[in-house]
Amino acid sequence: MNNNTSKSERTKQFIIENTAVIFNEKGYAGTSLSDLTNATKLTKGSIYGNFANKDEVALAVFDYNFNRVILYLRERILKKENSIDRLLVYPTVYRDFLKIPFFKAGCPILNTSTEADDTHPQLKEKASKALTFWKESIENQIQRGIERKEIKADTNSAEFALVLMSIIEGSIMIAKATSNSNDLKSTMNFLEKLILELKS
């Protein structure tokens, strides 16, 4: 029984990992069953033997893609002690966003939010929760900095988190649409200056 369960879980994970880039590139509506079978080299029966439908695969893939982004950022943030340095991880990472292999298709939150706005309520809810989680993470970093007297005491953490996120997501959207990474670099340089102005 346990062997069957673990084999099923391994197959699910295999499907998720091998279709993650496709869903992020093509979106939910643009990804076809043949895309899934081509990417995994599995039959339709194998895929739908592990997932009830394309919706289930898409929801699992969103979690997988979002977790990859979070882990990538967290690993770099936790290497820094000072709160300003931790916030500076964002412009440092996103300045080269388009060069990071699993980011090439864009930000999974932005891609999903744009597509699933009214067409897929479950994906929209996942994207919304992901944005809330990200915003709260930034707010916590700012609050930590205020407590440690590394960030100005009058900094509005919620407002700054929103501005940081908007600059990042907006600049990624522009860079993807224009295929111009220079715009992304310019915007991240500007964000870096904003973060440095928080120093107490």
Side-chain angles (χ1 to χ4, degrees):
M1 185 78 173
N2 284 345
N3 284 344
N4 289 341
T5 305
S6 60
K7 187 182 177 190
S8 169
E9 287 306 312
R10 282 199 303 273
T11 306
K12 274 188 171 184
Q13 192 60 26
F14 176 81
I15 293 166
I16 291 164
E17 288 175 11
N18 283 275
T19 60
V21 173
I22 295 163
F23 272 107
N24 202 29
E25 274 179 358
K26 294 189 168 188
Y28 170 77
T31 301
S32 65
L33 179 58
S34 61
D35 287 327
L36 304 186
T37 55
N38 290 339
T40 58
K41 306 290 184 261
L42 295 173
T43 63
K44 176 184 174 182
S46 291
I47 292 170
Y48 289 152
N50 287 280
F51 292 94
N53 48 39
K54 191 174 85 167
D55 278 35
E56 266 197 13
V57 185
L59 293 167
V61 162
F62 177 85
D63 288 340
Y64 173 77
N65 281 333
F66 179 59
N67 284 332
R68 286 186 84 186
V69 175
I70 291 298
L71 290 172
Y72 189 88
L73 287 165
R74 184 179 287 154
E75 185 188 331
R76 284 150 184 78
I77 287 167
L78 293 179
K79 284 180 183 172
K80 311 288 182 186
E81 186 56 34
N82 185 282
S83 303
I84 293 289
D85 291 337
R86 286 186 169 196
L87 290 173
L88 286 171
V89 166
Y90 287 102
T92 302
V93 165
Y94 286 99
R95 190 178 280 118
D96 294 321
F97 189 82
L98 299 175
K99 292 179 188 170
I100 301 164
F102 67 86
F103 281 147
K104 272 186 182 169
C107 171
I109 307 173
L110 178 65
N111 292 352
T112 305
S113 302
T114 308
E115 186 196 21
D117 190 18
D118 296 310
T119 57
H120 200 298
Q122 283 178 295
L123 270 175
K124 183 182 177 182
E125 186 186 350
K126 275 197 178 284
S128 176
K129 283 182 178 173
L131 285 166
T132 301
F133 174 85
W134 185 19
K135 184 170 178 279
E136 287 173 357
S137 300
I138 299 165
E139 286 178 33
N140 290 340
Q141 289 296 342
I142 294 169
Q143 285 304 129
R144 174 183 178 272
I146 292 170
E147 286 161 19
R148 291 164 61 99
K149 297 185 172 28
E150 294 164 351
I151 289 176
K152 290 174 186 169
D154 64 349
T155 302
N156 183 324
S157 59
E159 187 179 87
F160 194 87
L162 202 55
V163 168
L164 182 146
M165 290 165 65
S166 300
I167 289 173
I168 288 172
E169 294 294 0
S171 59
I172 289 170
M173 184 181 67
I174 293 166
K176 285 288 293 174
T178 61
S179 299
N180 187 348
S181 59
N182 287 331
D183 289 345
L184 194 53
K185 284 178 180 155
S186 299
T187 324
M188 290 306 107
N189 290 343
F190 177 76
L191 179 57
E192 201 166 82
K193 285 177 194 167
L194 286 183
I195 291 169
L196 289 170
E197 283 173 11
L198 295 181
K199 269 188 185 178
S200 63

